[in-house]
Amino acid sequence: GCGETFVEPEPKSFFAPENTYTKTSGLQGILNNLNVTLTREYYGQSPELMTEYMYTDIAVPSESRATQQPYDVTTEIVPTNVQQANYDVGDYWERAYNGITYANIVTTNVDGVTDWSSDQERNEFLAAGYFHQAYHYYRLVHQFGDLPVYLNQIAEPRTDFNSYSREAILKQ
């Protein structure tokens, strides 16, 4: 019949931050994801860079459907814009901050990794994390100006974010 062991869960894996972020393979997976995300900004049917182009004189939309063309710049160039299917500014904001979040995981957890093959390998991971942080903040400040900044992994809910000036972020 049903004994006490019947209802005890048997986990199929132990994929949790305390297990994943202590190994090079865990941080490598995060860096792989960051690199794939970076390519999506420039390549594909509607790369994210098109968001920037469509609001400047660099490009003119060729589609005749009004829903594809930016027409009201004051309401469209804001992080909460979710109206435009192909030129979604809100999506650009969200993806950039997701990139920052993942980069912060790498930079925050580098010193907790137990299986580095060398100091050089550790430094390469740290440099890659810093690159992705800097890249996404650089792109965001040129899109939106002043921004909330966080440079470490967020381990618990926070509501105390402050915006910093575009100039201060670029100097960082």
Side-chain angles (χ1 to χ4, degrees), residues 12 17 27 31 52 62 66 86 88 93 111 116 120 132 135 143 148 152 166:
K12 301 296 181 195
L27 295 188
L31 289 175
E52 190 166 300
S62 62
N86 288 335
D88 187 352
W93 174 276
D111 290 329
W116 293 122
Q120 179 178 342
H132 284 282
Y135 177 83
Q143 288 264 343
N152 296 305
R166 176 179 183 268

Side-chain angles (χ1 to χ4, degrees), residues 2 8 20 22-23 26 37 49 52 57 67 76 79 92 99 102 106 109 116 122-123 136 152-154 156 159 161:
C2 295
E8 290 182 22
T20 307
T22 59
K23 298 177 182 168
T37 302
L49 195 59
E52 190 166 300
D57 59 353
T67 59
E76 291 181 12
Y92 197 93
Y102 291 126
V106 173
N109 290 284
W116 293 122
R122 176 208 171 271
N123 292 339
H136 288 295
N152 296 305
Q153 180 182 357
I154 297 174
E156 56 190 46
T159 58
F161 293 102

